[in-house]
Amino acid sequence: MKVEDLARPTKQQIAWQNLELGFYVHFGMNTFCDQEWGDGTDSPKLFNPSSFDARQWVKVAKDAGYKYFVLTAKHHDGFCLWPTSTTNYSVSNSLWKNGEGDVVKECADACKEAGMPFGVYLSPWDRHEPCYENKEAYDDFYCAQLTELLTQYGPIVEVWFDGAGSEGREYDWERIIGIVKEYQPDAMIFNMGQPTIRWVGNEEGVAPYPCWNTRQQARLSMFTEDQVHWLPGTPEWMPAECDVPIRGNHWFWHENDEDRIRSLDELVTIYEKSVGRGANLLLNVAPDDRGLIPDADIKRVQELSQRIQEKYGQPIATTSGNGHDIIIELEESTDVNAVILKEQIADGERVREYQIEVEQQGVWKIIAEGSAIGHKRIQSFSNVNTKKVKLKITEAVGEPEIIEFSVFNTEQVVDGV
Ligand code: FUL
């Protein structure tokens, strides 16, 4: 392959990849019905959070270092969290705020105040809407909903098109994508139509390695092995997003369910296997039926952010540069056990194979190897004592451009963090 043939990101994709960590919020009718997939028959009167506070949600995210926020404006049950003109099945018919409330607006406003990019999830599959059976009528309906969301709530960072339930169903993607491009041209489009970002292929928060930033192997949903059918003009460069709920297999809140909260170690591993493999991590933390994120989830979110800081907040040494061999010389012999690598993705994924070497008694020794670097690669290895660490790129397309090569000892407790 020639360097000019490498796929390259748009500046919007680069900006999105730099966000790395997203906060996903599943909230809606299911929150009040102890279920994950409502069938669209639950009464809107059931939606009635007693202490709803979108600012609390955004604060939890912001304080823990999340850089974007995605809300389920409508899940598969069809219940809309904003006062839409398209259906009565919405907050307008609930008891919450006497039907005057708007969850989407409160989230968008809280995000704006916090400087947090805001995104929306709008399920194509709709189990409530009677016109879902009629393709043309539902395309109109869905496009009207999307237009409301993309025109009334300020800038949107990402539109999350969930493939679940839509296996085998055709929507008017040309028209849907046209709406996104018209009203939110900078928004990322998740996995359907003419996407700019793709689903990683599981709900465990784990990217395979290597996770090249190209379109191969994308799938529509958990329920089919089929690849997604995308419109012509879909870009070659297509970074992955790893979505995962903090409570195992539960996207929505359920009572007495705290024992599903993933352990800190599991979450750290998820971070290392998502962000550490060049994907974004979209961690779902669900508010309860009061409309608040429960303390137990907040505690775990905070612990995770602290652990990430402790491990990767402060490198022993860092450098950058172009070429096939990049060496870091430490001030003294030190125990090291991890590196972070980043390449200049604007110029494509040039690195195809690399090794990490350390010098011991004047001899270079290979201690780790890999292929993709892309936006970010976190790689751990057994503790090794050395004064010199080398990134040796053994296969590349064109000249490698490394914008970060950092060395860590992740077992060392960093003062003051
Ligand atoms: C899936 C859905 O079916 C789940 O309920 C959840 O919304 C997840 C993010 O995507 O496809």
Side-chain angles (χ1 to χ4, degrees), residues 44-62:
K45 305 287 178 242
L46 296 171
F47 182 90
N48 196 11
S50 53
S51 331
F52 177 88
D53 185 3
R55 285 204 182 94
Q56 186 240 18
W57 309 356
V58 176
K59 186 175 184 325
V60 171
K62 174 111 184 167

Side-chain angles (χ1 to χ4, degrees), residues 24 26 36-37 75-76 121 160 162 164 203 223 243 251-252:
Y24 209 179
H26 275 62
E36 285 288 304
W37 274 16
H75 203 250
H76 308 322
Y121 165 116
W160 223 89
D162 188 344
E203 294 183 341
F223 312 105
D243 59 316
W251 295 92
F252 287 90

Side-chain angles (χ1 to χ4, degrees), residues 27-33 35 42-44 46-47 77 79 89:
F27 185 66
M29 186 55 79
N30 292 332
T31 311
F32 299 86
C33 302
Q35 63 199 6
D42 297 306
S43 164
L46 296 171
F47 182 90
D77 53 51
F79 184 76
Y89 201 50

Side-chain angles (χ1 to χ4, degrees), residues 372-402:
I373 292 182
H375 168 70
K376 185 177 261 189
R377 171 78 178 126
I378 302 177
Q379 191 162 24
S380 314
F381 37 84
S382 313
N383 258 331
V384 50
N385 193 271
T386 186
K387 222 181 150 210
K388 279 188 192 170
V389 189
K390 188 198 294 180
L391 167 62
K392 187 180 178 64
I393 294 153
T394 48
E395 200 185 316
V397 180
E399 169 157 73
E401 299 175 8
I402 302 301

